[in-house]
Amino acid sequence: MAKSRLVGSYPVIGIRPTIDGRRGALDVRGSLEEQTMNMAKSAAKLFEENLKYSNGEPVQVVIADTTIGRVGESAACADKFRKAGVDITLTVTPCWCYGAETMDMDPQTIKAVWGFNGTERPGAVYLASVLATHAQKGLPAFGIYGHDVQEADDTSIPDDVKEKLLRFGRAAVAAASMRGKSYLQIGSVTMGIGGSIIDSDFIESYLGMRVESVDEVEIIRRMTEGIYDHAEFEKALKWAKETCKIGWDKNPEELQFSPEKKEEQFEFVVKMAVIIKELMNGCDNLDPAFSEEAIGHNALAAGFQGQRQWTDFYPNGDFAEAMLNTSFDWNGAREPYILATENDVLNGLGMMFMKLLTNRAQIFADVRTYWSPEAVKKATGYDLEGVAKEAGGFLHLINSGAACLDANGEAKDENGNAVMKQWWDITEEDQKAIMDNTEWCMADNGYFRGGGYSSRYETKAQMPATMIRLNLVKGLGPVLQIAEGWTVALPAEVSDKLWKRTDYTWPCTWFAPRCDGKEGPFKTAYDVMNNWGANHGAISYGHIGADLITMCSMLRIPVSMHNVPEKDIYRPAAWNAFGMDKEGADFRACKNYGPLYK
């Protein structure tokens, strides 16, 4: 649907139909050829019809040229897959096969095995055998086995099998899409925030990405020397002037800029957005004299330091951060970028994880305040209702910069419900509604002495949402936290009273995590806040915690806190060998196998 902005091909899924290799008078293999290959074709069709890359194109799937009964055919399949760029393999079979001969032995591929639940041949026996062999060889694989017995000629895929196949596929495509790409930090550490202290080894060893760094002065150099796409900037500026609603200036009158200075700053922040895009992914339209700058940094995600060295003197990066993270701009609907405010790389990577899983724009926010029912009642006279009441309160998610504009909930589905859409579904009507319900207020000079503009909106609708945080812990490594819940639509007068107690010119989202009232981090919203690992959170539309757990197991990142139902937890079969407590087993397995690219 759109040209990839990145150098490097998308990951391909390879299907490996394995089979009982026995011939002889009864020709066991011959009797199974059609059934085995039909399983491969059914799986390929499921992937192609339901999974998309981040640019909107259907996922590419290749099938081995023949069924795989002996090691020579395994080698032929591996050779084909290498040439096709396969990073993910699914082995399928309805029967017994010779496990160590037919298994995928490539240590770099992400693996699953689907064993058909039938009575004619022991597909389940092969599945159990080959998963044990995978574990024995240190090559973790996901096992897939249907709940109900199927007839041998049944080419359909049961719903429970579909769910696991698609969860595996989504997570594997997301994980493999990171390989060979970059995280670009523009600047460095912001105000001593640990999340912006970049750890190159983690990014290289766990994600297969590299770290690229440029100083913030590079933006000024490009502005000063005209190293940007001038036609693109003029288009962006025209669109921004016609579309962006300018809000109020909260600063004391004596500190407010003149109308001419405000106009100059608006042009500055729009130009920043254009230049940061070009820093991330290059530009084909630069003057040939700037062929080096035209290459870009092949960045799948980036972060902008901003505070304070930049923002004490120059306009802030809020416009660039908000617009790039949004699923459209002056060119219409397009794949959202990932640009973390304050160069919080850990939150930016969390946003990147969820964008790759969902193909939707992401929210960056402070996890700023817990509001109890009693505190809300005292401040506003309002008694909480719905999901906020059930959670024993809610969290205020608010930050000046990088929350995507999609999060105001003004895009609607076919039933009129608020939704954050996959970017290719964003209509011109959606774009107008989102922009009409967003203001751009002059920056708070207490925070941003250099001025600039901050986006302002309220998420006024209840939408399913998942908040995560990636943390690094010395001696332990990376861990992920997951909290599924809902955005909260408060009555306008209640929201205003609470919102005005902090910065009323920043984007505002109220969030109620799904809580169970039991002792632990999900007893109430307070306990979620009290157990959160950092000051920031990355937030995605939808309840995607199960997909995140699966993807993290592929990346060897244990999940330290989540509220995903146990029935939906799906990790490699070898994880079962590390103990009966699922979360403890996750930590032990991740430590045992270690990062993929160490």
Side-chain angles (χ1 to χ4, degrees):
M1 291 178 66
K3 178 184 175 183
S4 173
R5 296 193 292 248
L6 299 161
V7 179
S9 57
Y10 288 105
V12 177
I13 300 177
I15 311 290
R16 308 175 69 259
T18 57
I19 199 167
D20 192 326
R22 284 174 280 209
R23 292 287 190 183
L26 294 178
D27 191 12
V28 172
R29 177 170 184 161
S31 69
L32 292 163
E33 288 281 2
E34 183 178 1
Q35 183 184 8
T36 304
M37 193 56 80
N38 281 340
M39 280 186 72
K41 292 176 180 176
S42 295
K45 185 172 184 286
L46 181 74
F47 287 145
E48 290 168 341
E49 291 181 349
N50 291 276
L51 301 181
K52 286 183 169 65
Y53 297 124
S54 62
N55 73 337
E57 294 177 356
V59 163
Q60 295 180 46
V61 183
V62 297
I63 301 176
D65 291 334
T66 68
T67 55
I68 301 167
R70 302 304 301 258
V71 72
E73 290 153 334
S74 290
C77 173
D79 186 57
K80 176 179 180 176
F81 284 5
R82 272 192 298 272
K83 294 173 182 175
V86 168
D87 292 299
I88 303 152
T89 64
L90 172 68
T91 298
V92 303
T93 190
C95 60
W96 169 255
C97 317
Y98 303 156
E101 289 195 41
T102 61
M103 66 186 286
D104 172 14
M105 290 284 288
D106 186 340
Q108 291 296 305
T109 57
I110 302 171
K111 305 167 182 62
V113 185
W114 173 23
F116 185 79
N117 185 356
T119 55
E120 288 76 12
R121 300 285 180 178
V125 178
Y126 170 73
L127 176 63
S129 174
V130 80
L131 289 176
T133 309
H134 275 283
Q136 189 170 336
K137 293 180 179 294
L139 300 170
F142 290 80
I144 301 168
Y145 181 59
H147 185 270
D148 297 319
V149 171
Q150 290 180 261
E151 299 301 322
D153 60 355
D154 184 354
T155 59
S156 68
I157 304 178
D159 287 343
D160 62 327
V161 173
K162 282 183 183 177
E163 183 179 2
K164 285 188 174 179
L165 285 171
L166 292 176
R167 179 154 294 143
F168 167 78
R170 279 192 300 271
V173 168
S177 292
M178 303 173 199
R179 294 178 182 174
K181 309 306 187 298
S182 305
Y183 179 89
L184 172 64
Q185 63 167 351
I186 304 170
S188 184
V189 180
T190 298
M191 300 185 297
I193 294 172
S196 62
I197 302 172
I198 204 155
D199 187 325
S200 298
D201 181 61
F202 160 66
I203 293 172
E204 293 164 6
S205 298
Y206 281 85
L207 310 181
M209 297 173 64
R210 69 174 72 209
V211 173
E212 291 282 288
S213 300
V214 298
D215 195 281
E216 292 171 309
V217 75
E218 177 64 8
I219 294 173
I220 298 301
R221 183 181 80 91
R222 293 191 180 209
M223 286 186 177
T224 304
E225 298 187 3
I227 309 173
Y228 56 88
D229 186 335
H230 290 257
E232 178 81 355
F233 167 63
E234 293 300 330
K235 182 178 182 180
L237 184 60
K238 182 177 185 295
W239 177 87
K241 286 183 174 181
E242 293 173 351
T243 309
C244 294
K245 295 172 58 177
I246 303 301
W248 71 91
D249 189 338
K250 65 176 289 186
N251 297 292
E253 189 172 344
E254 65 274 13
L255 295 180
Q256 293 181 11
F257 295 119
S258 67
E260 294 77 18
K261 183 68 172 178
K262 290 178 179 180
E263 178 78 9
E264 177 187 310
Q265 291 210 337
F266 190 74
E267 293 188 11
F268 186 99
V269 299
V270 173
K271 192 175 292 184
M272 277 182 69
V274 171
I275 289 174
I276 290 174
K277 284 174 63 174
E278 294 172 359
L279 280 168
M280 290 180 69
N281 299 133
C283 178
D284 295 333
N285 299 322
L286 294 189
D287 186 305
F290 305 120
S291 58
E292 180 182 359
E293 289 86 347
I295 297 171
H297 291 271
N298 202 34
L300 184 58
F304 178 69
Q305 177 190 337
Q307 299 187 68
R308 285 198 32 220
Q309 289 85 342
W310 177 277
T311 55
D312 279 4
F313 189 64
Y314 292 116
N316 63 19
D318 288 11
F319 180 86
E321 292 162 1
M323 282 312 312
L324 265 63
N325 282 322
T326 296
S327 52
F328 62 89
D329 61 15
W330 45 90
N331 292 312
R334 53 100 176 106
E335 180 182 347
Y337 291 78
I338 295 297
L339 180 60
T341 196
E342 297 170 347
N343 190 37
D344 186 341
V345 55
L346 295 178
N347 219 51
L349 293 175
M351 294 165 70
M352 182 187 75
F353 289 172
M354 297 193 291
K355 177 226 173 172
L356 291 172
L357 283 170
T358 67
N359 294 314
R360 302 176 197 265
Q362 302 297 311
I363 307 170
F364 184 115
D366 281 353
V367 185
R368 182 164 284 230
T369 308
Y370 162 70
W371 278 98
S372 69
E374 295 78 15
V376 173
K377 178 75 170 178
K378 180 180 178 182
T380 69
Y382 174 69
D383 291 310
L384 292 185
E385 301 174 353
V387 293
K389 180 179 180 180
E390 293 167 8
F394 54 83
L395 309 182
H396 194 186
L397 308 180
I398 186 169
N399 188 288
S400 69
C404 63
L405 304 188
D406 306 61
N408 66 12
E410 293 299 328
K412 309 298 181 187
D413 64 17
E414 62 277 8
N415 298 314
N417 298 313
V419 64
M420 293 173 61
K421 295 182 178 180
Q422 293 179 308
W423 69 264
W424 52 77
D425 290 328
I426 295 284
T427 65
E428 290 185 5
E429 182 182 7
D430 293 329
Q431 295 169 45
K432 185 177 187 306
I434 289 169
M435 295 303 294
D436 285 348
N437 286 276
T438 301
E439 293 180 312
W440 298 89
C441 298
M442 286 303 300
D444 182 334
N445 287 345
Y447 284 95
F448 307 114
R449 299 178 195 170
Y453 288 82
S454 294
S455 59
R456 179 189 183 277
Y457 63 76
E458 180 186 358
T459 308
K460 296 179 180 177
Q462 180 174 310
M463 298 185 289
T466 300
M467 181 171 74
I468 70 170
R469 175 65 192 187
L470 178 65
N471 292 301
L472 292 178
V473 180
K474 189 174 178 65
L476 176 62
V479 293
L480 193 81
Q481 297 174 298
I482 303 170
E484 293 184 341
W486 297 268
T487 62
V488 177
L490 293 176
E493 64 278 8
V494 175
S495 181
D496 271 7
K497 286 181 180 178
L498 302 183
W499 190 1
K500 284 176 178 174
R501 295 170 69 111
T502 181
D503 200 306
Y504 200 53
T505 65
W506 292 352
C508 166
T509 301
W510 312 105
F511 174 71
R514 186 175 61 243
C515 297
D516 56 16
K518 300 176 182 177
E519 288 301 324
F522 289 96
K523 182 179 181 180
T524 67
Y526 168 80
D527 298 283
V528 173
M529 176 84 173
N530 203 33
N531 283 276
W532 206 243
N535 54 309
H536 292 149
I539 302 94
S540 181
Y541 177 88
H543 291 158
I544 62 168
D547 284 356
L548 284 159
I549 288 173
T550 297
M551 186 194 72
C552 283
S553 68
M554 295 171 178
L555 299 172
R556 314 291 191 260
I557 298 173
V559 176
S560 61
M561 168 180 157
H562 73 82
N563 59 348
V564 176
E566 186 167 330
K567 65 180 179 59
D568 295 329
I569 296 174
Y570 185 42
R571 296 184 173 114
W575 265 235
N576 296 328
F578 289 86
M580 292 177 63
D581 57 319
K582 284 187 178 292
E583 307 322 319
D586 183 33
F587 275 81
R588 293 185 286 273
C590 288
K591 180 179 180 180
N592 178 69
Y593 290 110
L596 286 173
Y597 310 102
K598 60 184 176 182

